[in-house]
Amino acid sequence: MSGNILVVDDDPNVVEIITESLRNRGYNTEYALDGESALRKYDEFLPDLVVLDVVLPKKDGFAVCDEIRRRDTNRDVPVIMISGNAIPDNMLEGFRSGAQDYIKKPFSVKEMIAKVDNFLSQASRRRDLREKNEHLEDEIQKSVDDLQRVNRELKKKVLDLRSIFDLSQDLNRLRDPEELINVFFLTIAGQLGIGSFCLFSLPTDTESYLSYVGGRGIRDTVLRTVRLSRETGMSQFLLTREGMLDLRSDEMPDDARREIEFMWDLGFHYCYPLIVKSSLIGIVFLGAKVSGQDYSANDREVFRSICSSFTTGLDNARLYSELQSTYLSTIKVLVSTIEAKDSYTRGHTERVAMFARLIAEEMGLDKKDLETVSFGAALHDIGKLGVYEDILNKPGELTEGEWEIVKSHPVVGANIIKNMKFLEAACDLVRHHHERLDGRGYPDGLKGDEISLGARIVAVADSFDAMTSNRSYRKAFRYKDALGQLKLQTDKFDAGVIEHLIRLVERGMIKEPQRD
Ligand SMILES: [Fe+2]
Ligand SMILES: [Fe+2]
């Protein structure tokens, strides 16, 4: 057997007998003859078991046992108390002070050794168990830490994915490059915590350079004057690679590095090319993160996804604006066709479109509604294409039949444009620009709020222009008189719209032309 055993007894003979027997059994022993030296020995020898007499000089066995328990908080060191006095109270006190067993004198050495063997093997098993337990607790803590970390990373990934998803939704929805860029900036600043960045992009398809569009966290006076050629080193190099590029990367050819050196000096350390169909349409330059940390692999991945949605969005916006200008030219051709047919309405549509747009702006309509009002006003009389020229230009009064034909122009007009998705919203304005608030208009006899605000605006703009233009049967009204007339016709027209028109005229936003 092995182990260190401290034997404490004030009788040297008893000490001698016990230590001798324990040594023969294979244990190391130390001894003390009083309570105080017992504790000193305990500290030096660090025994695995203590055999402790109760009656001791200086400090009795119970007090020593108490001290040992204070030192040995795991209660691994068994204490066997020995006393000639074996009354039950004494035993109780011994157990209370932390002794594991009690032997009364005179005792059998064999019995004592059997107890020692037993206690030591129990203590060693307890120690093993405790160590295993501690090890397990460590392992569990590590797993918990790992799980918490993975959980945090997952949460961040979900958030990243959600933002990227939201962004792609926005980018699919937004058609205005300015709004797109704004959303892009907000996303990369918020999502990745980038302190400074800027965007260069292609002003138009045919330009051979990229120019500064905007950024965050920078002083852009210098950047505003910068043009980055699409044909020289840097741009050509960026076309050959993907992802975030370190501006001092060894991969970069010397001419490209020289070209872009100044961006490094301005605090931008990375760039990211925006490429559509092998064409470089923009470059994002990035400075440091607000946190000062490096861009992690996850940051780069998130940034790549955001840029990819943004690039698609920009390309869509460009295609949309091309499509829009094609439509606008179509509208212009259509408008000029009506005006060629109807000599009285020459310039009419253009003016109605202008009045309607100003009124809509003055009334605070949003961008999309403004566009609808502009298109609807420009096309309001498009249906006159379907009315015979001689009726349109007839100097005298119209017959009932002719009047019916003229009155069909809102419906004919709406039918002409109804299949152009782009003009879907404007259709309503074209169809209803001759409705009256009292329900006595045409073609549907709508009343009050049944008539959309856009249609009410076009109706006022249309009548105002008709009144202030010369007709074969009367001269043009002065603006002041026309506005006075309109104010008297609130059964027909929206009083709020008229008020806004009056304000525009008073402020000189709509100016009366010089007349002879
Ligand atoms: Fe009309
Ligand atoms: Fe008109």
Side-chain angles (χ1 to χ4, degrees):
M1 299 299 279
S2 65
N4 295 342
I5 297 172
L6 175 63
V7 178
V8 187
D9 200 302
D10 58 340
D11 182 342
N13 293 325
V14 174
V15 167
E16 175 79 41
I17 294 165
I18 300 176
T19 52
E20 178 74 28
S21 316
L22 289 170
R23 271 201 300 274
N24 289 339
R25 181 91 182 134
Y27 294 110
N28 297 320
T29 58
E30 274 290 344
Y31 70 93
L33 299 173
D34 63 68
E36 281 177 5
S37 53
L39 287 170
R40 264 199 312 279
K41 278 276 160 60
Y42 180 90
D43 292 337
E44 290 162 18
F45 185 49
L46 298 174
D48 301 307
L49 184 143
V50 181
V51 177
L52 183 61
D53 191 11
V54 172
V55 183
L56 288 171
K58 296 184 182 166
K59 213 168 224 170
D60 70 13
F62 302 129
V64 172
C65 193
D66 271 343
E67 286 289 323
I68 289 175
R69 284 293 158 253
R70 264 197 281 280
R71 286 161 163 77
D72 170 36
T73 47
N74 290 323
R75 305 178 70 84
D76 276 344
V77 180
V79 175
I80 301 172
M81 299 203 94
I82 309 171
S83 176
N85 191 357
I87 54 167
D89 279 358
N90 224 350
M91 285 178 77
L92 270 181
E93 191 166 349
F95 292 130
R96 220 175 281 131
S97 62
Q100 266 72 12
D101 207 347
Y102 198 96
I103 305 178
K104 67 174 188 191
K105 286 178 185 172
F107 56 87
S108 131
V109 172
K110 249 185 169 174
E111 183 198 346
M112 195 204 65
I113 294 220
K115 283 186 191 267
V116 168
D117 286 352
N118 186 30
F119 277 123
L120 279 180
S121 59
Q122 273 181 25
S124 132
R125 274 201 299 277
R126 253 201 325 274
R127 228 179 355 254
D128 280 357
L129 270 175
R130 200 185 60 245
E131 276 168 16
K132 274 192 188 133
N133 204 18
E134 279 171 3
H135 179 69
L136 268 176
E137 276 176 7
D138 280 356
E139 290 289 300
I140 289 171
Q141 190 54 47
K142 253 188 240 155
S143 306
V144 168
D145 290 348
D146 277 356
L147 275 173
Q148 281 175 340
R149 185 180 48 75
V150 170
N151 198 22
R152 272 197 305 275
E153 282 172 7
L154 267 176
K155 271 189 187 159
K156 181 162 179 351
K157 277 229 157 78
V158 168
L159 276 178
D160 287 348
L161 282 175
R162 197 175 297 153
S163 312
I164 292 169
F165 178 74
D166 288 349
L167 178 74
S168 339
Q169 299 280 91
D170 279 348
L171 297 181
N172 275 331
R173 189 174 51 80
L174 297 175
R175 293 285 174 259
D176 177 0
E178 217 173 281
E179 270 185 79
L180 270 175
I181 290 166
N182 206 17
V183 169
F184 173 63
F185 283 177
L186 285 174
T187 310
I188 59 174
Q191 196 58 33
L192 296 169
I194 305 176
S196 56
F197 54 82
C198 68
L199 169 69
F200 279 74
S201 85
L202 204 56
T204 63
D205 248 3
T206 48
E207 296 294 354
S208 58
Y209 61 86
L210 301 171
S211 60
Y212 175 75
V213 176
R216 294 280 192 280
I218 44 170
R219 288 175 54 189
D220 57 7
T221 27
V222 179
L223 293 174
R224 283 180 190 284
T225 61
V226 173
R227 299 273 183 274
L228 298 172
S229 168
R230 287 172 80 200
E231 273 125 37
T232 52
M234 175 70 185
S235 298
Q236 290 304 309
F237 171 67
L238 284 178
L239 273 176
T240 64
R241 66 181 319 287
E242 267 197 358
M244 210 190 268
L245 173 74
D246 191 320
L247 289 185
R248 289 206 166 159
S249 158
D250 291 338
E251 289 175 59
M252 212 186 302
D254 286 346
D255 58 337
R257 189 173 305 121
R258 270 195 302 278
E259 199 184 324
I260 215 67
E261 192 79 65
F262 75 99
M263 288 303 277
W264 180 279
D265 298 335
L266 291 172
F268 298 104
H269 298 164
Y270 299 94
C271 70
Y272 190 99
L274 307 178
I275 299 169
V276 170
K277 296 176 208 110
S278 310
S279 170
L280 183 71
I281 63 159
I283 306 176
V284 187
F285 289 93
L286 304 174
K289 287 176 66 172
V290 177
S291 64
Q293 288 170 338
D294 279 344
Y295 290 96
S296 66
N298 187 50
D299 288 341
R300 286 166 193 260
E301 184 52 29
V302 170
F303 188 70
R304 195 191 60 75
S305 303
I306 296 174
C307 283
S308 147
S309 299
F310 176 58
T311 312
T312 313
L314 270 186
D315 194 39
N316 285 344
R318 195 177 49 80
L319 289 175
Y320 181 79
S321 104
E322 271 172 23
L323 202 65
Q324 210 172 17
S325 62
T326 310
Y327 276 130
L328 282 176
S329 357
T330 313
I331 291 173
K332 278 188 183 150
V333 171
L334 290 174
V335 166
S336 62
T337 318
I338 323 163
E339 298 202 336
K341 268 185 95 173
D342 180 0
S343 52
Y344 286 111
T345 59
R346 201 151 295 148
H348 169 69
T349 39
E350 209 173 287
R351 287 190 302 273
V352 172
M354 191 253 292
F355 296 156
R357 184 176 179 93
L358 286 169
I359 295 170
E361 274 174 4
E362 181 75 10
M363 294 184 85
L365 268 62
D366 68 26
K367 219 167 182 172
K368 200 166 173 301
D369 289 342
L370 278 179
E371 197 181 75
T372 304
V373 168
S374 298
F375 294 161
L379 293 167
H380 74 281
D381 278 339
I382 189 90
K384 286 190 178 169
L385 279 176
V387 179
Y388 300 111
E389 227 167 295
D390 48 355
I391 302 181
L392 282 179
N393 291 315
K394 188 174 172 183
E397 233 172 86
L398 297 179
T399 66
E400 202 171 311
E402 288 167 341
W403 183 232
E404 281 307 312
I405 293 174
V406 170
K407 276 170 72 179
S408 71
H409 80 270
V411 175
V412 174
N415 283 338
I416 291 175
I417 63 168
K418 75 173 180 207
N419 291 325
M420 299 190 202
K421 190 144 181 52
F422 168 70
L423 293 171
E424 219 169 38
C427 227
D428 161 72
L429 279 63
V430 172
R431 187 177 175 101
H432 296 130
H433 73 277
H434 283 294
E435 299 289 353
R436 294 170 43 141
L437 293 186
D438 59 9
R440 294 172 61 205
Y442 59 90
D444 297 319
L446 300 182
K447 269 187 189 164
D449 286 347
E450 289 170 355
I451 310 165
S452 70
L453 178 60
R456 283 180 267 151
I457 292 175
V458 177
V460 170
D462 186 28
S463 291
F464 181 66
D465 188 67
M467 287 180 194
T468 53
S469 304
N470 286 319
R471 285 286 183 262
S472 57
Y473 48 88
R474 62 148 171 81
K475 282 198 79 166
F477 281 71
R478 304 298 307 261
Y479 273 20
K480 181 167 60 68
D481 301 328
L483 292 172
Q485 283 292 316
L486 279 175
K487 267 166 67 174
L488 296 176
Q489 298 183 48
T490 48
D491 51 337
K492 270 189 181 175
F493 303 114
D494 185 312
V497 175
I498 297 171
E499 278 311 309
H500 283 95
L501 173 63
I502 293 173
R503 229 170 287 158
L504 285 164
V505 173
E506 280 171 356
R507 292 213 316 266
M509 308 275 288
I510 294 178
K511 273 202 184 81
E512 182 152 18
Q514 294 290 324
R515 297 183 206 268
D516 311 324

